[in-house]
Amino acid sequence: AKEAGRNGHRFFTEQMNRRVVEHLTMETQLRRALENNEFVLHYQPQMDLGEGTIVGVEALIRWNSREHGLVSPARFIPVAEESGLIVPIGAWVLREACRQAREWQVAGIDPFVMAVNLSAVQFRHHDLINSVINALVLSDLDSQWLELELTESILIQDAEATLEAIRRLKSLGIKLSVDDFGTGYSSLTYLKRFSVDKLKIDQSFVRDLARDPEDAAIVRAIIQMAHSLRLRTIAEGVETEELASLLRVFHCDEIQGYWLARPMPAREMEDFLRSHQTR
Ligand code: C2E
Ligand code: CA
Ligand code: CA
Ligand code: CA
């Protein structure tokens, strides 16, 4: 038994070591990726359910790694957050998303809001406001066309500092939304105090909406509550026409998901936007 315990322990540390090494390797590669321009943004449209027009586009980062091929953000964002690399990576995302949004405006495409994901680590970093200003100034994008997607975890930490950071961001004229809404612990009080503009109803409530009466009840309640606080709502993960129609019945303002379009490179997004122009 003693022997087995020791082996078990050794196995455990070997596994741990392997994970630490993998982590460090990826960290080094991420650092290089930034210098080598291995990151790209893909874009996914957001549609106004009332008007049927494209009112927003979410920027989603992709890593085209020399060693690993295309790496999903779910794998590398956590490493980037732990190492602090999310700060320069996030600043790049902001610059690139604003640059692209402005380029599309100049090319004559109807203006829409560019939504950029913000990690909690980025949010707490003292340089956040500067990197937002920097991205807007460099791109010449009017601040009304930039939206930052915050997670509920950002809102529940250190209320005073969060309130101050949000006040400064809002004073720039940009929009704020709460991503993955319903999965965290934010209360109505937070939503009122933080003056966000929009709630993104998490995919987990949307997916089975048509079959699960409880999910339907949750989604309807979120939409009603949001509207009584004068917030807009967007449902993410809308994969079918049935879901889109149901959400219209529920008075959800916007939808995003595979039914409308998958995230795609800028070139394809431009074609998509042109084919959905209203004028
Ligand atoms: P998220 O912000 O919740 O983004 C939505 C995710 O759902 C995206 O995955 C998107 O491709 C996917 N999705 C969109 N429509 C559908 C649908 O109809 N069905 C299903 N099943 N999925 C759908 P993606 O692009 O792999 O991104 C994963 C997560 O990585 C994001 O979740 C976000 O938390 C993070 N992320 C992505 N880009 C950035 C970034 O630039 N900065 C930061 N900090 N995080 C990012
Ligand atoms: Ca998001
Ligand atoms: Ca989300
Ligand atoms: Ca998510």
Side-chain angles (χ1 to χ4, degrees), residues 41-44 46 56-61 77 86-102 104 112-120 122-123 128 131-132 135-136 139 141 143 145-151 154 169 174-179 198 200 256:
L41 295 184
H42 282 194
Y43 299 93
Q44 190 179 31
Q46 305 175 329
V57 167
E58 179 176 3
L60 294 156
I61 195 169
I77 293 284
I86 192 67
V87 173
I89 293 173
W92 176 83
V93 172
L94 273 167
R95 282 197 307 274
E96 178 59 15
C98 290
R99 188 202 62 73
Q100 185 62 74
R102 183 64 189 146
W104 280 328
F112 53 78
V113 171
M114 178 63 79
V116 174
N117 291 285
L118 210 64
S119 138
Q122 247 181 305
F123 186 83
L128 172 67
S131 57
V132 174
L136 290 170
S139 62
L141 183 74
S143 60
W145 305 117
L146 177 63
E147 179 170 276
L148 299 181
E149 296 194 357
L150 315 174
T151 56
I154 288 178
L169 287 171
I174 66 173
K175 297 187 166 60
L176 298 176
S177 65
V178 183
D179 206 352
K198 198 196 275 186
K200 292 196 82 170
Q256 177 179 350

Short mmCIF file of all heavy atoms in Angstrom, two decimals, residues 41-44 46 56-61 77 86-102 104 112-120 122-123 128 131-132 135-136 139 141 143 145-151 154 169 174-179 198 200 256:
data_model
loop_
_atom_site.label_atom_id
_atom_site.label_comp_id
_atom_site.label_asym_id
_atom_site.label_seq_id
_atom_site.Cartn_x
_atom_site.Cartn_y
_atom_site.Cartn_z
N LEU A 41 -8.83 38.20 -36.13
CA LEU A 41 -10.18 38.33 -35.62
C LEU A 41 -11.17 37.75 -36.61
O LEU A 41 -11.04 37.96 -37.82
CB LEU A 41 -10.53 39.81 -35.35
CG LEU A 41 -9.73 40.50 -34.26
CD1 LEU A 41 -10.25 41.93 -34.04
CD2 LEU A 41 -9.80 39.73 -32.94
N HIS A 42 -12.12 36.98 -36.10
CA HIS A 42 -13.27 36.58 -36.89
C HIS A 42 -14.45 37.40 -36.37
O HIS A 42 -14.39 37.95 -35.28
CB HIS A 42 -13.52 35.08 -36.78
CG HIS A 42 -12.59 34.27 -37.62
ND1 HIS A 42 -12.80 32.95 -37.91
CD2 HIS A 42 -11.43 34.61 -38.25
CE1 HIS A 42 -11.82 32.50 -38.70
NE2 HIS A 42 -10.97 33.50 -38.90
N TYR A 43 -15.49 37.48 -37.21
CA TYR A 43 -16.60 38.37 -36.88
C TYR A 43 -17.91 37.63 -37.00
O TYR A 43 -18.10 36.83 -37.92
CB TYR A 43 -16.59 39.59 -37.81
CG TYR A 43 -15.32 40.40 -37.68
CD1 TYR A 43 -14.23 40.16 -38.53
CD2 TYR A 43 -15.19 41.37 -36.70
CE1 TYR A 43 -13.06 40.88 -38.40
CE2 TYR A 43 -14.01 42.10 -36.56
CZ TYR A 43 -12.95 41.85 -37.41
OH TYR A 43 -11.78 42.56 -37.28
N GLN A 44 -18.82 37.90 -36.05
CA GLN A 44 -20.15 37.28 -36.11
C GLN A 44 -21.22 38.36 -35.99
O GLN A 44 -21.18 39.17 -35.06
CB GLN A 44 -20.31 36.24 -34.99
CG GLN A 44 -21.57 35.39 -35.15
CD GLN A 44 -21.74 34.35 -34.07
OE1 GLN A 44 -21.33 34.55 -32.93
NE2 GLN A 44 -22.37 33.23 -34.41
N GLN A 46 -24.86 40.41 -35.51
CA GLN A 46 -25.96 40.48 -34.55
C GLN A 46 -27.12 41.20 -35.24
O GLN A 46 -26.94 42.28 -35.79
CB GLN A 46 -25.52 41.27 -33.30
CG GLN A 46 -24.26 40.70 -32.66
CD GLN A 46 -23.73 41.54 -31.50
OE1 GLN A 46 -23.88 42.76 -31.49
NE2 GLN A 46 -23.09 40.88 -30.55
N GLY A 56 -25.02 44.94 -35.13
CA GLY A 56 -23.76 44.75 -34.41
C GLY A 56 -22.96 43.60 -34.99
O GLY A 56 -23.48 42.80 -35.78
N VAL A 57 -21.70 43.56 -34.60
CA VAL A 57 -20.79 42.49 -35.00
C VAL A 57 -19.88 42.23 -33.80
O VAL A 57 -19.35 43.17 -33.22
CB VAL A 57 -19.94 42.92 -36.22
CG1 VAL A 57 -18.78 41.96 -36.43
CG2 VAL A 57 -20.80 43.00 -37.48
N GLU A 58 -19.76 40.94 -33.41
CA GLU A 58 -18.84 40.63 -32.32
C GLU A 58 -17.50 40.17 -32.89
O GLU A 58 -17.46 39.33 -33.81
CB GLU A 58 -19.41 39.53 -31.41
CG GLU A 58 -18.44 39.17 -30.26
CD GLU A 58 -19.01 38.15 -29.26
OE1 GLU A 58 -20.13 37.66 -29.46
OE2 GLU A 58 -18.29 37.86 -28.27
N ALA A 59 -16.42 40.72 -32.36
CA ALA A 59 -15.08 40.32 -32.76
C ALA A 59 -14.64 39.16 -31.88
O ALA A 59 -14.73 39.24 -30.65
CB ALA A 59 -14.11 41.48 -32.60
N LEU A 60 -14.20 38.05 -32.50
CA LEU A 60 -13.77 36.87 -31.75
C LEU A 60 -12.36 36.49 -32.19
O LEU A 60 -12.11 36.27 -33.37
CB LEU A 60 -14.75 35.72 -31.99
CG LEU A 60 -16.16 35.95 -31.42
CD1 LEU A 60 -17.21 35.12 -32.16
CD2 LEU A 60 -16.19 35.64 -29.92
N ILE A 61 -11.45 36.40 -31.24
CA ILE A 61 -10.05 36.18 -31.58
C ILE A 61 -9.78 34.72 -31.96
O ILE A 61 -10.42 33.81 -31.44
CB ILE A 61 -9.12 36.61 -30.42
CG1 ILE A 61 -7.67 36.73 -30.89
CG2 ILE A 61 -9.25 35.67 -29.23
CD1 ILE A 61 -6.74 37.41 -29.87
N ILE A 77 -7.01 31.67 -24.10
CA ILE A 77 -7.34 32.85 -23.29
C ILE A 77 -7.02 32.64 -21.80
O ILE A 77 -6.42 33.51 -21.16
CB ILE A 77 -8.82 33.30 -23.50
CG1 ILE A 77 -9.03 33.82 -24.93
CG2 ILE A 77 -9.25 34.36 -22.48
CD1 ILE A 77 -8.50 35.21 -25.25
N ILE A 86 -2.84 38.68 -21.64
CA ILE A 86 -4.13 39.13 -22.14
C ILE A 86 -4.17 40.66 -22.26
O ILE A 86 -4.94 41.19 -23.07
CB ILE A 86 -5.29 38.63 -21.23
CG1 ILE A 86 -6.65 38.83 -21.89
CG2 ILE A 86 -5.26 39.32 -19.87
CD1 ILE A 86 -6.90 38.01 -23.11
N VAL A 87 -3.33 41.35 -21.49
CA VAL A 87 -3.34 42.82 -21.57
C VAL A 87 -2.86 43.31 -22.94
O VAL A 87 -3.59 44.01 -23.62
CB VAL A 87 -2.57 43.46 -20.38
CG1 VAL A 87 -2.42 44.96 -20.56
CG2 VAL A 87 -3.30 43.15 -19.07
N PRO A 88 -1.64 42.93 -23.39
CA PRO A 88 -1.24 43.34 -24.75
C PRO A 88 -2.09 42.68 -25.84
O PRO A 88 -2.39 43.32 -26.86
CB PRO A 88 0.23 42.92 -24.86
CG PRO A 88 0.45 41.94 -23.76
CD PRO A 88 -0.51 42.29 -22.67
N ILE A 89 -2.51 41.43 -25.64
CA ILE A 89 -3.35 40.77 -26.65
C ILE A 89 -4.69 41.50 -26.76
O ILE A 89 -5.18 41.80 -27.85
CB ILE A 89 -3.56 39.26 -26.33
CG1 ILE A 89 -2.24 38.49 -26.46
CG2 ILE A 89 -4.61 38.64 -27.26
CD1 ILE A 89 -2.30 37.04 -25.99
N GLY A 90 -5.27 41.81 -25.60
CA GLY A 90 -6.55 42.52 -25.58
C GLY A 90 -6.46 43.90 -26.20
O GLY A 90 -7.39 44.36 -26.88
N ALA A 91 -5.32 44.57 -25.98
CA ALA A 91 -5.12 45.90 -26.58
C ALA A 91 -5.06 45.77 -28.10
O ALA A 91 -5.60 46.61 -28.83
CB ALA A 91 -3.84 46.53 -26.04
N TRP A 92 -4.42 44.69 -28.57
CA TRP A 92 -4.38 44.44 -30.02
C TRP A 92 -5.78 44.20 -30.57
O TRP A 92 -6.15 44.75 -31.62
CB TRP A 92 -3.46 43.24 -30.34
CG TRP A 92 -3.49 42.92 -31.80
CD1 TRP A 92 -2.77 43.52 -32.79
CD2 TRP A 92 -4.36 41.96 -32.45
NE1 TRP A 92 -3.12 42.98 -34.02
CE2 TRP A 92 -4.09 42.04 -33.83
CE3 TRP A 92 -5.32 41.06 -31.98
CZ2 TRP A 92 -4.75 41.23 -34.76
CZ3 TRP A 92 -5.98 40.26 -32.91
CH2 TRP A 92 -5.69 40.34 -34.29
N VAL A 93 -6.58 43.40 -29.86
CA VAL A 93 -7.95 43.11 -30.30
C VAL A 93 -8.74 44.42 -30.43
O VAL A 93 -9.43 44.65 -31.44
CB VAL A 93 -8.68 42.15 -29.32
CG1 VAL A 93 -10.16 42.01 -29.69
CG2 VAL A 93 -8.01 40.77 -29.31
N LEU A 94 -8.61 45.29 -29.43
CA LEU A 94 -9.32 46.57 -29.47
C LEU A 94 -8.92 47.39 -30.69
O LEU A 94 -9.76 47.92 -31.41
CB LEU A 94 -9.02 47.37 -28.20
CG LEU A 94 -9.91 47.12 -26.99
CD1 LEU A 94 -9.30 47.73 -25.74
CD2 LEU A 94 -11.31 47.69 -27.24
N ARG A 95 -7.61 47.50 -30.91
CA ARG A 95 -7.11 48.29 -32.05
C ARG A 95 -7.60 47.72 -33.37
O ARG A 95 -8.09 48.43 -34.25
CB ARG A 95 -5.57 48.33 -32.06
CG ARG A 95 -4.96 49.29 -31.07
CD ARG A 95 -3.49 49.58 -31.44
NE ARG A 95 -2.68 48.37 -31.62
CZ ARG A 95 -2.06 47.73 -30.63
NH1 ARG A 95 -2.18 48.16 -29.38
NH2 ARG A 95 -1.35 46.65 -30.87
N GLU A 96 -7.47 46.39 -33.52
CA GLU A 96 -7.82 45.74 -34.78
C GLU A 96 -9.33 45.80 -35.05
O GLU A 96 -9.76 46.08 -36.18
CB GLU A 96 -7.31 44.29 -34.78
CG GLU A 96 -7.64 43.47 -36.02
CD GLU A 96 -7.10 44.07 -37.33
OE1 GLU A 96 -6.23 44.98 -37.28
OE2 GLU A 96 -7.59 43.64 -38.40
N ALA A 97 -10.13 45.59 -34.00
CA ALA A 97 -11.60 45.63 -34.18
C ALA A 97 -12.06 47.03 -34.57
O ALA A 97 -12.89 47.21 -35.45
CB ALA A 97 -12.29 45.15 -32.90
N CYS A 98 -11.50 48.05 -33.90
CA CYS A 98 -11.88 49.44 -34.22
C CYS A 98 -11.41 49.81 -35.63
O CYS A 98 -12.13 50.44 -36.39
CB CYS A 98 -11.28 50.41 -33.20
SG CYS A 98 -12.03 50.29 -31.57
N ARG A 99 -10.19 49.39 -35.96
CA ARG A 99 -9.66 49.69 -37.31
C ARG A 99 -10.57 49.08 -38.38
O ARG A 99 -10.94 49.74 -39.35
CB ARG A 99 -8.24 49.11 -37.44
CG ARG A 99 -7.52 49.52 -38.72
CD ARG A 99 -6.38 48.55 -39.07
NE ARG A 99 -6.85 47.19 -39.33
CZ ARG A 99 -7.51 46.81 -40.42
NH1 ARG A 99 -7.78 47.67 -41.38
NH2 ARG A 99 -7.92 45.55 -40.55
N GLN A 100 -10.96 47.82 -38.17
CA GLN A 100 -11.81 47.14 -39.15
C GLN A 100 -13.19 47.78 -39.24
O GLN A 100 -13.73 47.96 -40.34
CB GLN A 100 -11.93 45.65 -38.77
CG GLN A 100 -12.69 44.83 -39.78
CD GLN A 100 -12.01 44.81 -41.14
OE1 GLN A 100 -11.00 44.17 -41.34
NE2 GLN A 100 -12.57 45.55 -42.10
N ALA A 101 -13.76 48.15 -38.09
CA ALA A 101 -15.09 48.77 -38.09
C ALA A 101 -15.06 50.07 -38.89
O ALA A 101 -15.94 50.35 -39.71
CB ALA A 101 -15.55 49.04 -36.66
N ARG A 102 -14.02 50.87 -38.66
CA ARG A 102 -13.89 52.14 -39.38
C ARG A 102 -13.66 51.91 -40.87
O ARG A 102 -14.24 52.61 -41.72
CB ARG A 102 -12.74 52.96 -38.76
CG ARG A 102 -12.55 54.33 -39.39
CD ARG A 102 -13.75 55.23 -39.16
NE ARG A 102 -13.65 56.47 -39.93
CZ ARG A 102 -14.68 57.11 -40.47
NH1 ARG A 102 -15.91 56.63 -40.32
NH2 ARG A 102 -14.50 58.21 -41.14
N TRP A 104 -14.77 49.50 -42.67
CA TRP A 104 -16.06 49.15 -43.28
C TRP A 104 -16.95 50.38 -43.43
O TRP A 104 -17.66 50.50 -44.42
CB TRP A 104 -16.74 48.04 -42.47
CG TRP A 104 -16.20 46.66 -42.77
CD1 TRP A 104 -15.71 46.23 -43.98
CD2 TRP A 104 -16.10 45.55 -41.87
NE1 TRP A 104 -15.30 44.91 -43.87
CE2 TRP A 104 -15.53 44.46 -42.59
CE3 TRP A 104 -16.43 45.35 -40.53
CZ2 TRP A 104 -15.30 43.21 -42.02
CZ3 TRP A 104 -16.20 44.10 -39.96
CH2 TRP A 104 -15.64 43.04 -40.70
N PHE A 112 -22.46 49.96 -37.77
CA PHE A 112 -23.02 49.07 -36.74
C PHE A 112 -22.07 49.11 -35.56
O PHE A 112 -20.96 49.64 -35.65
CB PHE A 112 -23.13 47.64 -37.29
CG PHE A 112 -21.83 47.14 -37.87
CD1 PHE A 112 -20.82 46.70 -37.04
CD2 PHE A 112 -21.60 47.18 -39.24
CE1 PHE A 112 -19.60 46.28 -37.56
CE2 PHE A 112 -20.38 46.76 -39.76
CZ PHE A 112 -19.39 46.31 -38.92
N VAL A 113 -22.51 48.55 -34.46
CA VAL A 113 -21.69 48.53 -33.24
C VAL A 113 -20.71 47.36 -33.28
O VAL A 113 -21.11 46.23 -33.56
CB VAL A 113 -22.60 48.44 -32.00
CG1 VAL A 113 -21.77 48.20 -30.75
CG2 VAL A 113 -23.44 49.71 -31.86
N MET A 114 -19.45 47.62 -33.04
CA MET A 114 -18.44 46.57 -32.96
C MET A 114 -18.29 46.17 -31.50
O MET A 114 -17.94 46.98 -30.65
CB MET A 114 -17.10 47.09 -33.50
CG MET A 114 -15.95 46.11 -33.42
SD MET A 114 -16.17 44.60 -34.41
CE MET A 114 -15.75 45.18 -36.06
N ALA A 115 -18.61 44.90 -31.20
CA ALA A 115 -18.54 44.41 -29.82
C ALA A 115 -17.24 43.65 -29.59
O ALA A 115 -16.88 42.77 -30.36
CB ALA A 115 -19.74 43.51 -29.53
N VAL A 116 -16.52 44.04 -28.53
CA VAL A 116 -15.23 43.45 -28.21
C VAL A 116 -15.29 42.82 -26.81
O VAL A 116 -15.79 43.45 -25.87
CB VAL A 116 -14.12 44.53 -28.26
CG1 VAL A 116 -12.78 43.98 -27.78
CG2 VAL A 116 -13.99 45.09 -29.67
N ASN A 117 -14.82 41.59 -26.69
CA ASN A 117 -14.79 40.91 -25.39
C ASN A 117 -13.69 41.44 -24.50
O ASN A 117 -12.56 41.67 -24.95
CB ASN A 117 -14.58 39.40 -25.58
CG ASN A 117 -15.78 38.73 -26.20
OD1 ASN A 117 -16.79 38.53 -25.54
ND2 ASN A 117 -15.67 38.43 -27.50
N LEU A 118 -14.00 41.63 -23.24
CA LEU A 118 -13.02 42.14 -22.29
C LEU A 118 -12.86 41.14 -21.16
O LEU A 118 -13.83 40.74 -20.52
CB LEU A 118 -13.55 43.47 -21.73
CG LEU A 118 -12.52 44.49 -21.33
CD1 LEU A 118 -11.72 44.95 -22.53
CD2 LEU A 118 -13.21 45.66 -20.66
N SER A 119 -11.62 40.71 -20.92
CA SER A 119 -11.36 39.80 -19.81
C SER A 119 -11.31 40.58 -18.50
O SER A 119 -10.98 41.77 -18.48
CB SER A 119 -10.04 39.06 -20.09
OG SER A 119 -9.28 38.97 -18.93
N ALA A 120 -11.62 39.89 -17.40
CA ALA A 120 -11.58 40.53 -16.08
C ALA A 120 -10.18 41.07 -15.76
O ALA A 120 -10.05 42.11 -15.13
CB ALA A 120 -12.03 39.54 -15.01
N GLN A 122 -7.99 42.23 -17.91
CA GLN A 122 -7.87 43.47 -18.67
C GLN A 122 -8.63 44.61 -17.99
O GLN A 122 -8.17 45.74 -17.94
CB GLN A 122 -8.54 43.27 -20.03
CG GLN A 122 -7.68 43.26 -21.23
CD GLN A 122 -8.59 43.08 -22.44
OE1 GLN A 122 -9.36 42.12 -22.51
NE2 GLN A 122 -8.50 43.99 -23.38
N PHE A 123 -9.81 44.26 -17.50
CA PHE A 123 -10.67 45.26 -16.88
C PHE A 123 -10.00 45.87 -15.65
O PHE A 123 -10.11 47.07 -15.40
CB PHE A 123 -12.02 44.65 -16.50
CG PHE A 123 -13.00 45.65 -15.98
CD1 PHE A 123 -13.76 46.41 -16.86
CD2 PHE A 123 -13.14 45.86 -14.62
CE1 PHE A 123 -14.65 47.36 -16.39
CE2 PHE A 123 -14.03 46.81 -14.14
CZ PHE A 123 -14.79 47.56 -15.03
N LEU A 128 -6.38 50.12 -18.97
CA LEU A 128 -7.55 49.83 -19.80
C LEU A 128 -8.09 51.06 -20.53
O LEU A 128 -8.27 51.04 -21.76
CB LEU A 128 -8.67 49.19 -18.96
CG LEU A 128 -10.00 49.04 -19.70
CD1 LEU A 128 -9.88 48.01 -20.83
CD2 LEU A 128 -11.12 48.65 -18.75
N SER A 131 -5.96 52.17 -23.36
CA SER A 131 -5.95 51.34 -24.57
C SER A 131 -7.26 51.49 -25.35
O SER A 131 -7.26 51.37 -26.57
CB SER A 131 -5.63 49.87 -24.26
OG SER A 131 -6.53 49.35 -23.34
N VAL A 132 -8.36 51.79 -24.65
CA VAL A 132 -9.61 52.06 -25.36
C VAL A 132 -9.52 53.38 -26.13
O VAL A 132 -9.84 53.44 -27.32
CB VAL A 132 -10.82 52.08 -24.38
CG1 VAL A 132 -12.10 52.50 -25.11
CG2 VAL A 132 -11.01 50.72 -23.74
N ALA A 135 -7.24 52.98 -29.14
CA ALA A 135 -7.86 52.27 -30.27
C ALA A 135 -8.82 53.19 -31.03
O ALA A 135 -8.88 53.16 -32.26
CB ALA A 135 -8.59 51.02 -29.77
N LEU A 136 -9.57 54.01 -30.28
CA LEU A 136 -10.54 54.91 -30.93
C LEU A 136 -9.83 56.00 -31.72
O LEU A 136 -10.19 56.30 -32.86
CB LEU A 136 -11.46 55.53 -29.88
CG LEU A 136 -12.47 54.58 -29.21
CD1 LEU A 136 -13.14 55.26 -28.02
CD2 LEU A 136 -13.51 54.09 -30.21
N SER A 139 -7.96 54.63 -34.89
CA SER A 139 -8.84 54.16 -35.95
C SER A 139 -9.76 55.27 -36.47
O SER A 139 -10.39 55.11 -37.51
CB SER A 139 -9.71 53.02 -35.44
OG SER A 139 -10.54 53.49 -34.38
N LEU A 141 -12.52 55.92 -35.15
CA LEU A 141 -13.88 55.40 -34.99
C LEU A 141 -14.60 56.19 -33.91
O LEU A 141 -14.05 56.41 -32.83
CB LEU A 141 -13.82 53.91 -34.59
CG LEU A 141 -15.18 53.21 -34.45
CD1 LEU A 141 -15.80 52.95 -35.83
CD2 LEU A 141 -15.02 51.88 -33.70
N SER A 143 -16.86 56.83 -30.83
CA SER A 143 -17.02 55.92 -29.68
C SER A 143 -18.40 55.27 -29.61
O SER A 143 -18.55 54.20 -29.04
CB SER A 143 -16.73 56.66 -28.38
OG SER A 143 -17.61 57.74 -28.23
N TRP A 145 -19.79 53.62 -31.72
CA TRP A 145 -19.79 52.36 -32.46
C TRP A 145 -18.97 51.26 -31.78
O TRP A 145 -18.75 50.21 -32.36
CB TRP A 145 -19.29 52.58 -33.90
CG TRP A 145 -20.07 53.61 -34.62
CD1 TRP A 145 -19.59 54.81 -35.09
CD2 TRP A 145 -21.46 53.58 -34.95
NE1 TRP A 145 -20.59 55.51 -35.68
CE2 TRP A 145 -21.77 54.79 -35.61
CE3 TRP A 145 -22.49 52.65 -34.74
CZ2 TRP A 145 -23.05 55.09 -36.06
CZ3 TRP A 145 -23.76 52.95 -35.20
CH2 TRP A 145 -24.03 54.16 -35.85
N LEU A 146 -18.48 51.53 -30.58
CA LEU A 146 -17.72 50.51 -29.85
C LEU A 146 -18.50 50.05 -28.62
O LEU A 146 -19.02 50.86 -27.86
CB LEU A 146 -16.34 51.04 -29.41
CG LEU A 146 -15.50 50.07 -28.58
CD1 LEU A 146 -15.13 48.81 -29.37
CD2 LEU A 146 -14.22 50.76 -28.07
N GLU A 147 -18.58 48.73 -28.47
CA GLU A 147 -19.22 48.15 -27.28
C GLU A 147 -18.25 47.17 -26.63
O GLU A 147 -17.59 46.39 -27.32
CB GLU A 147 -20.49 47.41 -27.71
CG GLU A 147 -21.23 46.73 -26.57
CD GLU A 147 -22.60 46.22 -27.05
OE1 GLU A 147 -23.55 47.01 -27.06
OE2 GLU A 147 -22.68 45.04 -27.43
N LEU A 148 -18.16 47.20 -25.32
CA LEU A 148 -17.33 46.23 -24.61
C LEU A 148 -18.23 45.22 -23.92
O LEU A 148 -19.19 45.60 -23.25
CB LEU A 148 -16.44 46.94 -23.58
CG LEU A 148 -15.44 47.95 -24.16
CD1 LEU A 148 -14.61 48.56 -23.04
CD2 LEU A 148 -14.53 47.29 -25.19
N GLU A 149 -17.90 43.94 -24.10
CA GLU A 149 -18.66 42.87 -23.44
C GLU A 149 -17.96 42.48 -22.16
O GLU A 149 -16.84 41.97 -22.18
CB GLU A 149 -18.79 41.67 -24.39
CG GLU A 149 -19.58 41.99 -25.65
CD GLU A 149 -20.00 40.74 -26.42
OE1 GLU A 149 -19.64 39.61 -26.02
OE2 GLU A 149 -20.72 40.91 -27.44
N LEU A 150 -18.62 42.74 -21.04
CA LEU A 150 -18.07 42.41 -19.73
C LEU A 150 -18.75 41.15 -19.21
O LEU A 150 -19.88 40.87 -19.56
CB LEU A 150 -18.35 43.54 -18.73
CG LEU A 150 -18.10 44.98 -19.19
CD1 LEU A 150 -18.56 45.95 -18.11
CD2 LEU A 150 -16.63 45.18 -19.49
N THR A 151 -18.06 40.42 -18.35
CA THR A 151 -18.72 39.26 -17.73
C THR A 151 -19.25 39.65 -16.36
O THR A 151 -18.78 40.62 -15.75
CB THR A 151 -17.73 38.08 -17.57
OG1 THR A 151 -16.62 38.54 -16.82
CG2 THR A 151 -17.27 37.58 -18.92
N ILE A 154 -16.85 40.35 -13.50
CA ILE A 154 -16.24 41.68 -13.39
C ILE A 154 -17.10 42.55 -12.47
O ILE A 154 -16.58 43.27 -11.62
CB ILE A 154 -16.12 42.34 -14.78
CG1 ILE A 154 -15.04 41.67 -15.61
CG2 ILE A 154 -15.84 43.84 -14.64
CD1 ILE A 154 -14.89 42.23 -17.03
N LEU A 169 -15.33 54.54 -18.53
CA LEU A 169 -15.58 53.97 -19.86
C LEU A 169 -16.82 54.60 -20.48
O LEU A 169 -16.82 55.00 -21.65
CB LEU A 169 -15.75 52.46 -19.77
CG LEU A 169 -14.48 51.64 -19.51
CD1 LEU A 169 -14.83 50.19 -19.23
CD2 LEU A 169 -13.51 51.74 -20.69
N ILE A 174 -18.79 55.04 -25.12
CA ILE A 174 -18.92 53.68 -25.64
C ILE A 174 -20.06 52.96 -24.95
O ILE A 174 -20.61 53.44 -23.96
CB ILE A 174 -17.61 52.87 -25.47
CG1 ILE A 174 -17.32 52.64 -23.98
CG2 ILE A 174 -16.43 53.57 -26.14
CD1 ILE A 174 -16.15 51.71 -23.76
N LYS A 175 -20.44 51.78 -25.49
CA LYS A 175 -21.52 50.99 -24.90
C LYS A 175 -20.95 49.81 -24.12
O LYS A 175 -19.84 49.36 -24.39
CB LYS A 175 -22.44 50.49 -26.02
CG LYS A 175 -23.10 51.64 -26.77
CD LYS A 175 -24.13 51.15 -27.76
CE LYS A 175 -24.98 52.31 -28.23
NZ LYS A 175 -24.17 53.36 -28.90
N LEU A 176 -21.74 49.34 -23.18
CA LEU A 176 -21.31 48.19 -22.37
C LEU A 176 -22.41 47.13 -22.36
O LEU A 176 -23.59 47.46 -22.26
CB LEU A 176 -21.03 48.61 -20.93
CG LEU A 176 -19.91 49.64 -20.70
CD1 LEU A 176 -19.84 50.01 -19.22
CD2 LEU A 176 -18.57 49.10 -21.18
N SER A 177 -22.00 45.88 -22.49
CA SER A 177 -22.98 44.81 -22.35
C SER A 177 -22.47 43.79 -21.36
O SER A 177 -21.27 43.71 -21.08
CB SER A 177 -23.26 44.15 -23.71
OG SER A 177 -22.10 43.51 -24.18
N VAL A 178 -23.39 43.01 -20.79
CA VAL A 178 -23.02 41.94 -19.86
C VAL A 178 -23.13 40.62 -20.61
O VAL A 178 -24.22 40.22 -21.02
CB VAL A 178 -23.92 41.93 -18.62
CG1 VAL A 178 -23.45 40.86 -17.65
CG2 VAL A 178 -23.92 43.29 -17.94
N ASP A 179 -21.98 39.96 -20.79
CA ASP A 179 -21.88 38.72 -21.54
C ASP A 179 -22.33 37.54 -20.67
O ASP A 179 -22.26 37.62 -19.44
CB ASP A 179 -20.42 38.51 -21.96
CG ASP A 179 -20.28 37.65 -23.20
OD1 ASP A 179 -21.29 37.09 -23.66
OD2 ASP A 179 -19.15 37.56 -23.72
N LYS A 198 -26.81 46.68 -22.31
CA LYS A 198 -27.37 45.49 -22.94
C LYS A 198 -27.04 44.23 -22.15
O LYS A 198 -25.97 44.14 -21.55
CB LYS A 198 -26.76 45.37 -24.34
CG LYS A 198 -27.51 44.47 -25.30
CD LYS A 198 -26.65 44.12 -26.47
CE LYS A 198 -26.69 45.15 -27.59
NZ LYS A 198 -25.96 44.68 -28.78
N LYS A 200 -26.53 40.12 -22.65
CA LYS A 200 -26.42 39.02 -23.60
C LYS A 200 -26.85 37.75 -22.88
O LYS A 200 -26.14 37.25 -22.01
CB LYS A 200 -24.98 38.86 -24.10
CG LYS A 200 -24.50 39.99 -24.97
CD LYS A 200 -23.24 39.61 -25.73
CE LYS A 200 -23.54 38.82 -26.98
NZ LYS A 200 -22.34 38.65 -27.83
N GLN A 256 -27.98 36.51 -32.07
CA GLN A 256 -26.66 36.19 -32.62
C GLN A 256 -26.55 34.68 -32.58
O GLN A 256 -26.94 34.05 -31.61
CB GLN A 256 -25.58 36.84 -31.74
CG GLN A 256 -24.16 36.54 -32.16
CD GLN A 256 -23.13 37.23 -31.26
OE1 GLN A 256 -23.48 38.08 -30.44
NE2 GLN A 256 -21.87 36.87 -31.40
#
